[in-house]
Amino acid sequence: MYTGRMAVAPNCYFVRLRPDLSPQAASEFRAFAKKPPSGKPPNDVRLILACIRVDLLHPFYAKLTINLEDGVAPMDLWVPHQMILMIGDISAMGRAPVMFTPTE
């Protein structure tokens, strides 16, 4: 069971959003997306969110807890399951990912 006193490794997971999101939906998540190593702004076709926790218990939405910067409280994003392409361990980003298929 998690309590507020337990240490949580920052940004343990990544969530990649679908590349075919509408421009409006993509722009809503761009501010929260992980910056690529090049330092350029995130590409709308490859939006990746670094998450502390991923909760998939809700039937329609995933609750993603993200850390925007050090010293700021984590924030929860509710993302429809249909917008998620894949979820994985952020330390394994170079390896083959596990595909996420929502059930209806």
Side-chain angles (χ1 to χ4, degrees):
M1 180 174 185
Y2 174 78
T3 66
R5 294 178 289 180
M6 297 173 99
V8 176
N11 303 330
C12 299
Y13 306 98
F14 74 87
V15 173
R16 182 170 175 196
L17 301 180
R18 296 176 55 91
D20 59 351
L21 294 179
S22 71
Q24 180 182 355
S27 70
E28 292 174 8
F29 291 104
R30 193 179 309 117
F32 306 113
K34 183 173 171 46
K35 304 253 186 300
S38 66
K40 295 179 184 177
N43 183 332
D44 285 354
V45 178
R46 191 172 165 85
L47 289 174
I48 297 174
L49 305 173
C51 304
I52 297 171
R53 281 184 288 281
V54 177
D55 182 349
L56 300 172
L57 295 177
H58 191 276
F60 305 109
Y61 294 94
K63 180 175 145 186
L64 311 178
T65 304
I66 63 171
N67 230 356
L68 292 176
E69 55 187 71
D70 292 337
V72 176
M75 182 174 102
D76 291 336
L77 285 178
W78 290 86
V79 178
H81 287 180
Q82 293 83 4
M83 289 186 170
I84 297 173
L85 178 65
M86 64 183 75
I87 299 171
D89 182 339
I90 204 160
S91 65
M93 277 188 67
R95 296 187 215 143
V98 174
M99 298 303 286
F100 176 72
T101 307
T103 57
E104 305 223 2

